[in-house]
């Protein structure tokens, strides 16, 4: 969709409101919408699918990109534009393969902290335990009545429950719902002292 | 004179005597302590009559002194029906009796008691059924007798919360067995949620002996130490399939109430037992209480429920109540031992209190407190909800679960009897079993879920239930004395009512319940179900087992509507330009989930400017589907009624979609961007459904087609630039696309850079009928492009226009809107687009039906109409009738004032025989007047040849 020209204006997120700092850094929410998002559509078992090397419901890190198996024949690359592009460039596109820039289609948030799972429990019916949704898991679900794709992408190893250190979730939704969903997560995390933090430059380690 | 009924400090009391709380009772200032319930505070202040009964308005005092007390409902501020024997006292509470007039002491409605003999069960059914025409009047009068508090409609919506949970084990009940089960399950590695109805853990240990209370504290500490999630003042209100349990949390730091939807792998029901009242004459007089009520008053809250007591005891709890009373200096005038065959016949007294008790031996004993301890009801609701049908055990005089349910286990009093140690041990065994079974279920869930951790080991064997069952102790069957009394205290239903109803033929327990309303009040059968069944059994001359019981259904305890509603999630969608719209005074309108600008102050001026200069409108909600693959034309041919095989790269085509029944589903244009890449637009409301429709065809009928459909609706900010000066404006912002008419003509698409934003595409189409460009810009730069359009076109007169102006302009052009000018019966030929139905295609959605519909000469026709009076704008949906009759010939579907033509214009569906141009039709206006309108030659009222948009 967009080959970013040098003279392009700055990317504008769908989250535009200003937020007061939270009372705790134990639970944070950041707007990562500016990260490049690339969809690859390829049949399971195809050469492109094999080279992405991730199964439905899981994810893996490749350079500055997180590769998500978010549908049986659909992958999402989240990361820097350059990193995503280099992965796409190496794809064997024989057969029926489509590559679509989804950067502008999806809002992307990161919810991190010991209470991140408890926050999601207030807006989503899925089981966020380590056993059912471990680090690396990818799932689609309704969050506060908005269809979302969620990837658990912890920033540091998490011990066995219930002593989770800081589970971290990347949450993608249709851009038009971005402001609504961001506010819904702020509301849900209010009892845990959620704070809004600035997005990291690129995918966090 | 008011007495202070507060006892000297008691060991284990929960009140904080150094923290007094002021409150009012019916306007009178009183004082209680932190830790008091409203009930204990009132009784401490010598309040004995706290409510009036529902039907006869008989004076009532506390009877069970717990959540289920049927006499305890009060108005607290603007909160009606507060359970005062459960709700904790707060400073400043304004507490009032409910449904009394003019006062609790002198309630006029108590006159109902004088005509009691006429108000028996079924009175309303029999009395007010005829004449039916008078029902509205009856209803008005009866409403004034309705029980309950008052709702202040101005009360703001409170913050209620909702949460999901997936614990391994949910334990319902925090008594000794429930706590032991929770501890054992947690120690076995399970994630456990322990739900307790009361404000603290402990169950009946809380009002037991000093040793009992010490054990409660010990177990509670162990519960917390084991990592159990404890929810007090909470109730498991329902159990549904797969152990989906609803838990209402009545107090929470951030919410008034919170509803937890917990998917428990195993559920342990440790709901304990509920003490049953006894049925005899005068059993609802203030001062008649259960043994548990008395012990809670004395041992937990340190108040004197009376001064001289008679204790009617059939069990150890009754004996303990007598001992507790004597210990604190309340004289026990007589212990009436049911186990020795003694019985209570009638309680006598005045409107404020019981004064004496008449016994079966003929004696009468003076007292102001009558304590009954006649047995328990097992609250088997959660077992009922799990499919069990508990059975009656005559020797124990109560019901027990009868089924073995794999993921629902019982422990504690609901499962049997025993010493505290035996109950705790049974609880521990139950907790271990629940955890072991939860582990197997968890293993199965992980193995079946793609994202979950794959189990390392083979599935464990299903743990068998090796627990030794608890004993069932013998207990006298005591339900009703030789006299009649109240059975359902919530609904004022007496045993006499039940017998009468049974004699009238309502002798099935289900019929009896509905006819008399017994068990249907706020106590929800917890106090009265077994007595109801016992009275019916007696009337029928059968056993309780033969009569059976009604089935307990959710909720276990009433839930507020606020808790059920929870947090309100109402997603709204906005485009990237929405901040600009808001900053520039746009009037918002909600279109589906989208917030859109309806206009910026004057929609008529917006139309005129667009027709004269150039206007810009945010059309981002327009559905957009990215289609890729060599078989896209096959999909388009399948979805649209017209042909798509020869659409050239760079071209745009309009298409109509129908469902299999030929009814118009959606319409829009699709552009071919490159050989295998297309962009489809749908209506705003059809964006989601058409994606699903396309996927449905691909996944079910044609999985061999190589097509990828990806929704990109909000990946692009869409802007329509319309008006005679639109090309001039676009030329200032586009450098890499030749905009000359010869190079970029009507119904074509081009990709390029707009306002320094690469990756845009634009097509020449237009809903407005003007020369126009529809721009699709990567959404992260949408606002930038919008601002540049407005900045660069100042000298061209560029202005934004909203949805209303667009509607006007599209109506001037006669374009129909799917869903407004069509409905659920409108087939494609009605729209006038029969030329787009290509029956010579191999197949397309709706083909078979449309082949027939094209020959149907009776289907309505969409026509353009102009009212004879150009100032008259008929409301949309006005009927079109045959002149002088009410014979319906059609209806107006769209109707607006055109600032371009300076007259009203319409679209409408009419029957074919009145659809010819020039036909005069009669329109019935909303106020009943009739007006005339003329059928026009073209759908378009303005520029019918389309000359303005092809320049």
């Amino acid at each position: 969709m967009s080959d970013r020209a040098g003279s392009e204006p700055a990317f504008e997120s769908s989250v535009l409101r200003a937020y007061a700092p939270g009372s705790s850094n134990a639970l944070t929410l950041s707007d990562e919408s500016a990260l490049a998002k690339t969809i690859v559509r390829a049949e399971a078992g195809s050469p492109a699918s094999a080279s992405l090397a991730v199964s439905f419901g899981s994810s893996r890190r490749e350079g500055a990109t997180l590769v998500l198996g978010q549908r049986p024949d659909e992958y999402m690359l989240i990361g820097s534009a350059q990193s995503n592009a280099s992965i796409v460039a190496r794809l064997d596109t024989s057969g029926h393969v489509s590559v679509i820039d989804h950067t502008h289609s999806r809002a992307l948030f990161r919810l991190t902290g010991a209470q991140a799972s408890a926050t999601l429990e207030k807006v989503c019916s899925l089981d966020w335990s380590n056993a059912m949704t471990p680090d690396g898991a990818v799932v689609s679900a309704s969050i506060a009545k908005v269809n979302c794709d969620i990837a658990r992408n912890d920033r540091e190893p998490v011990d066995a429950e219930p002593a989770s250190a800081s589970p971290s979730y990347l949450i993608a939704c249709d851009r038009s719902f971005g402001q609504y969903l961001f506010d819904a997560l702020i509301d849900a995390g209010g009892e845990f002292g959620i704070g809004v933090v600035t997005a990291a430059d690129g995918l966090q380690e | 004179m008011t007495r202070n009924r507060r006892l000297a400090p008691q060991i284990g009391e929960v009140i904080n005597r150094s923290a007094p709380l002021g409150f009012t009772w019916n306007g009178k200032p009183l004082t209680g302590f932190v830790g008091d319930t409203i009930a204990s505070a009132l009784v401490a202040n010598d309040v004995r009559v706290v409510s009036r009964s529902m039907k006869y308005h008989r004076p009532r005092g506390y009877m069970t002194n717990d959540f289920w007390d049927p006499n305890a409902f009060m108005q607290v501020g603007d909160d009606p029906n507060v359970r005062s024997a459960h709700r904790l006292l707060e400073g400043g509470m304004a507490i009032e009796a409910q449904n009394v007039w003019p006062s609790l002491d002198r309630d006029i409605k108590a006159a109902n008691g004088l005509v009691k003999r006429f108000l028996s069960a079924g009175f309303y059914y029999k009395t007010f059924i005829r004449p039916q025409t008078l029902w509205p009047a009856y209803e008005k009068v009866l409403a004034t007798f309705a029980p309950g508090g008052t709702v202040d409609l101005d009360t703001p919506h409170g913050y209620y919360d909702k949460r999901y949970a997936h614990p391994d084990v949910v334990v319902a009940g925090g008594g000794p067995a429930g706590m032991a089960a929770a501890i054992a399950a947690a120690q076995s590695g399970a994630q456990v949620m322990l739900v307790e109805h009361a404000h603290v853990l402990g169950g009946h240990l809380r009002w037991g002996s000093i040793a009992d209370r010490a054990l409660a504290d010990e177990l509670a500490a162990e519960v917390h130490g084991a990592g159990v999630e404890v929810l007090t003042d909470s109730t498991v209100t329902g159990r549904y399939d797969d152990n989906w349990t609803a838990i209402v949390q009545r107090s929470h730091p951030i919410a008034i109430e919170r509803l937890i939807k917990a998917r428990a792998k195993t559920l342990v029901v440790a709901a304990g037992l509920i003490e049953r009242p006894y049925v005899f004459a005068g059993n609802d007089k203030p001062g008649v209480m259960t043994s548990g009520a008395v012990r809670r008053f004395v041992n937990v809250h340190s108040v004197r429920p009376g001064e001289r007591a008679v204790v009617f005891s059939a069990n150890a709890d009754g004996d303990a109540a007598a001992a507790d009373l004597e210990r604190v200096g309340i004289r026990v005038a007589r212990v009436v031992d049911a186990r020795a065959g003694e019985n209570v016949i009638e309680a006598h007294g005045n409107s404020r209190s019981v004064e004496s008790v008449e016994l079966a031996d003929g004696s009468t004993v003076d007292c102001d407190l009558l304590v009954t301890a006649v047995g328990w009801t097992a609250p088997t609701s959660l077992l009922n909800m799990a499919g069990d049908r508990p059975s009656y055990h005559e020797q124990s005089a109560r019901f027990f679960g009868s089924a073995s349910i794999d993921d629902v286990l019982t422990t504690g009093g609901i499962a049997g009897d025993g010493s505290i140690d035996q109950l705790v041990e049974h609880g521990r065994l139950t907790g271990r079993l629940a955890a072991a079974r939860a582990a197997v279920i968890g293993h199965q869930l992980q193995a079946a879920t793609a994202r979950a951790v794959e189990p390392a080991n083979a599935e464990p064997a299903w743990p068998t239930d090796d627990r030794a069952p608890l004993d069932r102790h013998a207990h006298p069957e005591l339900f009703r004395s030789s006299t009649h009394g109240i059975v359902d205290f919530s609904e004022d239903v007496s045993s006499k009512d039940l017998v009468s109803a049974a004699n009238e033929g309502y002798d099935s327990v289900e019929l009896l319940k509905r006819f008399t309303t017994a068990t249907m009040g706020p106590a929800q059968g917890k106090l009265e179900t077994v007595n109801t069944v016992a009275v019916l059994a007696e009337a029928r001359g059968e056993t309780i087992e033969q009569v059976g019981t009604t089935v307990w259904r959710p909720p276990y305890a009433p839930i507020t509507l606020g808790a059920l509603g929870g947090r309100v999630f109402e997603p709204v969608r906005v485009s990237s330009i929405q901040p600009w719209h808001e900053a520039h005074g746009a009037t918002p309108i909600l279109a589906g989930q989208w917030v859109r600008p309806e206009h910026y102050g004057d929609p008529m001026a917006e139309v005129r400017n667009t027709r004269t200069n150039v206007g810009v409108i945010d059309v981002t909600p327009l559905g957009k589907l990215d289609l890729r693959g060599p078989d896209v034309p096959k999909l388009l041919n399948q979805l649209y009624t017209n042909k798509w095989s020869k659409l050239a790269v760079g071209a745009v085509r309009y298409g109509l979609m129908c469902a299999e029944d030929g009814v118009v589903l959606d319409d829009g244009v699709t552009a071919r961007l490159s050989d295998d890449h297309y962009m489809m637009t749908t209506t705003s409301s059809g964006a989601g459904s058409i994606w699903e429709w396309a996927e449905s065809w691909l996944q079910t009928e044609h999985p061999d087609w190589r097509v990828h459909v990806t929704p990109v609706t909000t990946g692009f900010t869409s802007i329509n630039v319309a008006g005679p000066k639109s090309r001039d404006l676009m030329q200032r912002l586009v450098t890499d696309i030749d905009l000359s008419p010869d190079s970029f003509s009507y119904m074509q698409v081009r990709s390029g850079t707009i306002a320094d934003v690469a990756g845009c595409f634009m097509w020449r189409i237009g809903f407005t009928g003007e020369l126009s460009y529809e721009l699709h810009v990567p959404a992260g730069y949408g606002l930038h492009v919008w601002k540049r359009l407005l900045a660069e076109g100042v000298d061209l007169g560029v202005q934004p226009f909203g949805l209303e102006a667009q509607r006007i302009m599209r109506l001037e052009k006669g374009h129909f809107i799917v869903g407004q000018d069509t409905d659920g019966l409108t087939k494609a030929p009605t729209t006038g687009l029969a030329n787009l139905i290509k029956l010579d295609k191999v197949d397309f959605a709706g083909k078979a039906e449309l082949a027939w519909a094209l020959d149907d000469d009776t289907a309505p026709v969409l026509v353009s109409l102009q009212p004879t009076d150009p100032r008259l704008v008929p409301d949309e949906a006005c009927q079109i009738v045959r002149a002088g009759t009410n014979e319906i010939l059609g209806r107006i579907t769209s109707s607006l004032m055109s600032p371009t033509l300076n007259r009203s214009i319409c679209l409408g569906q009419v029957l074919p025989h009145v659809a010819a141009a020039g036909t005069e039709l009669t329109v019935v206006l909303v106020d009943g007047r009739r007006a005339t309108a003329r059928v026009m030659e073209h759908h378009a009222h303005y520029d019918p040849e389309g000359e303005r948009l092809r320049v």
Side-chain angles (χ1 to χ4, degrees), chain B residues 502-783:
Chain B
N503 290 339
E504 284 189 64
Y506 298 98
D507 55 358
S508 137
V509 68
E510 294 287 357
L511 277 179
L512 184 80
K513 165 185 167 180
R514 286 158 181 81
F515 184 68
T516 64
T517 72
T519 77
M520 292 171 71
Q524 283 291 288
K526 302 296 184 295
L527 304 175
E528 64 277 11
T529 286
V530 177
N531 284 345
T532 300
V533 172
V535 171
L536 178 61
E538 189 184 347
R540 280 171 38 173
E542 293 177 344
T543 65
I544 289 177
E545 189 65 31
Q546 287 170 314
V547 169
T549 64
T550 53
V551 177
W552 268 325
R553 298 183 177 85
Y556 177 82
I559 308 175
T560 63
L561 292 175
L564 287 177
R567 287 201 302 156
V568 179
F569 295 120
E570 289 180 354
V572 291
R573 311 178 74 175
V574 295
S575 87
S576 60
I577 310 173
Q578 182 62 21
W580 190 95
H581 300 320
E582 290 175 11
H584 290 78
T587 298
I589 183 172
L590 199 60
Q593 290 180 312
W594 285 92
V595 179
R596 304 189 65 180
E598 185 174 23
H599 58 78
Y600 300 85
D602 185 352
M604 296 296 184
E606 291 166 18
V607 172
R608 284 191 288 269
N609 184 66
T610 304
R611 294 266 185 243
T612 309
N613 296 312
V614 55
V616 288
I617 180 172
D618 177 3
V619 290
T620 300
L622 200 67
K624 293 172 277 287
L625 296 174
D626 180 287
L627 311 176
R628 298 187 192 220
D631 294 324
V632 170
K634 291 180 181 174
L635 176 66
L636 297 175
N637 278 326
Q638 183 68 56
L639 299 178
Y640 286 121
T641 62
N642 53 338
K643 294 181 178 177
W644 292 84
S645 300
K646 294 180 180 173
L647 185 70
V649 172
V652 175
R653 184 170 291 165
Y654 173 82
L656 194 65
M657 288 187 199
C658 292
E660 291 283 48
D661 58 4
V663 169
V664 175
L665 199 61
D666 206 80
D667 70 342
V669 296
T670 293
R672 189 174 186 183
L673 303 175
S674 63
D675 281 350
D676 290 345
H677 186 193
Y678 295 70
M679 186 67 68
M680 172 190 283
T681 61
T682 71
T683 59
S684 301
S685 57
S689 59
I690 297 304
W691 175 35
E692 290 171 5
W693 181 236
E695 284 292 348
S696 171
W697 283 101
L698 288 172
Q699 293 181 29
T700 62
E701 298 294 327
H702 299 288
D704 54 318
W705 287 355
R706 291 167 300 166
V707 181
H708 287 143
V709 181
T710 308
V712 292
T713 295
T714 52
F716 294 96
T717 296
S718 301
I719 303 167
N720 196 286
V721 184
K725 298 177 183 173
S726 57
R727 182 178 289 122
D728 297 338
L729 176 56
M730 292 311 302
Q731 279 173 334
R732 299 176 184 183
L733 292 165
V734 177
T735 54
D736 55 357
I737 303 172
D738 182 356
L739 297 179
S740 64
D742 293 340
S743 176
F744 187 11
S745 59
Y746 183 58
M747 296 302 274
Q748 290 202 310
V749 63
R750 296 290 182 270
S751 300
T753 303
I754 302 173
D756 300 323
V757 176
C760 304
F761 64 93
M762 56 198 290
W763 44 32
R764 272 200 59 191
I765 56 170
F767 213 33
T768 60
E770 296 295 329
L771 167 67
S772 62
Y773 299 86
E774 194 161 281
L775 320 181
H776 301 281
V777 181
Y781 310 124
L783 182 56

Side-chain angles (χ1 to χ4, degrees), chain B residues 812-832:
Chain B
E812 289 175 341
K813 286 296 295 178
H815 296 312
F816 68 87
I817 294 178
V818 175
Q820 174 164 335
D821 299 297
T822 70
D823 58 28
L825 296 173
T826 304
K827 293 178 180 168
T830 289
T831 64

Side-chain angles (χ1 to χ4, degrees), chain B residues 216-270:
Chain B
D217 291 343
E218 192 181 308
L219 287 170
E222 211 178 332
V223 164
H224 290 290
V228 173
E229 181 176 0
V230 179
L231 306 172
T232 51
D233 193 15
S234 304
T235 304
V236 179
T237 63
R239 185 272 180 195
Y240 305 86
D241 287 353
D242 297 323
N243 270 348
W244 193 104
T245 53
I247 301 167
V248 66
Q249 209 174 350
R250 284 181 293 272
S251 52
H252 191 275
I254 67 143
I256 299 170
E257 290 185 355
R258 174 184 268 182
L259 184 66
I260 301 173
K261 300 178 177 182
R263 179 77 71 180
K265 295 180 184 69
T266 50
L267 170 66
V268 175
V269 180

Side-chain angles (χ1 to χ4, degrees), chain B residues 17 66 105 337 382 488 509 532 623 670 734 807 823 831 870 880 940 948:
Chain B
R17 293 177 188 254
D66 62 3
D105 293 336
D337 194 341
L382 294 173
D488 187 330
V509 68
T532 300
T670 293
V734 177
R807 284 179 184 153
D823 58 28
T831 64
I880 295 168
R948 295 178 68 85

